[in-house]
Amino acid sequence: GPCPAAAEEEDGDEELLGAGGPRAWTPQEKLLHEARLKAKAKRRLRRTSSRDSARESLSEGTEPGPEPGSPKGRAHDRRSRMGKGRGLPKKGGAGGKGVWGAPGVVYGYQEPDARDPNYDEAAQGDTVYATVVPELEEGELEKNVQPMVLEYFEHGDTSEVMELLRGLNLGGRRHAVPALAVALALEGKASHRELTSRLLSDLVGHAVAPEDIAWAFDKMLRDLPDLILDTPEAPQV
């Protein structure tokens, strides 16, 4: 039906035109006429927007999905971007972050890893910590044993030397200890040789074996020509 507001506007326009024919409008009448046209356009715009909102309220209320070719629609698309594949999940559903693996797969027992964030040290039983000392190399053995023997020549305590030797991993080079001690005694005084004799006697059965003492003296006899260069009286001593 006709709108009352529109009818009022049409009547007002006729009055402005005048019943006796066209006449020149005054500036006030022109301003009033323009204001009425603007108000009429605003009311028409409000009626149009109210009809559009009514249609939206009568719709289902679900947002339309993204277009197939839009970037938003491709965000959750599992198909290959290269145009290959059938669009199935990778590795049969067993790949990816935060997944449990392929259905029906039974995993065997795995040793717990201490670096695992879920590793529980209390549930793994008693933990035994062992200090592993690497075996001394030939050059390292001389650097560690020679200061011990020289200090022993000063204090004469064989038990202290044995304690220091227990802290070293001599391995298969135990025979080098008596050989080095005797070589240092040859270069020293008679008191040093007496102390070395006492040291070797106390070390047997604790830090070295009798076979190590025999091997050391046998090697020194073979190396006697080299020992004479530093100690000329080495054969007699």
Side-chain angles (χ1 to χ4, degrees), residues 20-196:
R23 62 182 177 82
W25 286 9
T26 63
Q28 292 81 2
E29 290 175 346
K30 288 183 179 181
L31 293 175
L32 180 62
H33 181 65
E34 292 176 359
R36 287 182 177 179
L37 291 178
K38 292 180 180 180
K40 182 178 179 181
K42 290 181 179 180
R43 286 194 295 270
R44 186 178 301 169
L45 181 61
R46 285 197 295 268
R47 287 197 298 270
T48 305
S49 61
S50 62
R51 285 195 294 267
D52 294 340
S53 61
R55 292 194 194 99
E56 293 178 0
S57 62
L58 294 177
S59 62
E60 296 180 359
T62 57
E63 297 182 359
E67 297 180 2
S70 65
K72 187 176 181 181
R74 293 196 301 267
H76 302 285
D77 188 8
R78 299 178 67 91
R79 290 178 295 179
S80 174
R81 303 295 188 271
M82 303 299 294
K84 301 178 182 179
R86 298 175 295 168
L88 301 177
K90 296 180 180 179
K91 301 181 181 179
K97 183 179 180 181
V99 298
W100 289 92
V105 177
V106 179
Y107 296 96
Y109 174 75
Q110 294 182 354
E111 290 291 337
D113 188 1
R115 295 173 297 178
D116 189 351
N118 297 323
Y119 178 79
D120 187 5
E121 184 178 358
Q124 307 302 325
D126 297 334
T127 303
V128 179
Y129 295 95
T131 303
V132 179
V133 180
E135 183 177 350
L136 291 178
E137 299 293 337
E138 186 175 358
E140 295 177 353
L141 187 142
E142 184 176 354
K143 292 179 182 179
N144 287 270
V145 176
Q146 183 172 353
M148 296 181 190
V149 177
L150 294 178
E151 290 179 4
Y152 167 71
F153 290 160
E154 300 295 332
H155 57 72
D157 188 0
T158 58
S159 60
E160 181 177 343
V161 179
M162 285 189 288
E163 288 296 329
L164 294 175
L165 290 176
R166 289 193 184 99
L168 301 177
N169 185 4
L170 300 176
R173 293 185 174 84
R174 292 180 300 180
H175 58 271
V177 175
L180 181 60
V182 173
L184 293 174
L186 293 179
E187 299 175 359
K189 299 180 294 185
S191 60
H192 295 168
R193 298 162 195 161
E194 178 63 26
L195 289 172
T196 303

Side-chain angles (χ1 to χ4, degrees), residues 202-217:
D202 293 345
L203 288 180
V204 174
H206 296 87
V208 295
E211 293 80 8
D212 298 326
I213 299 291
W215 194 96
F217 275 96

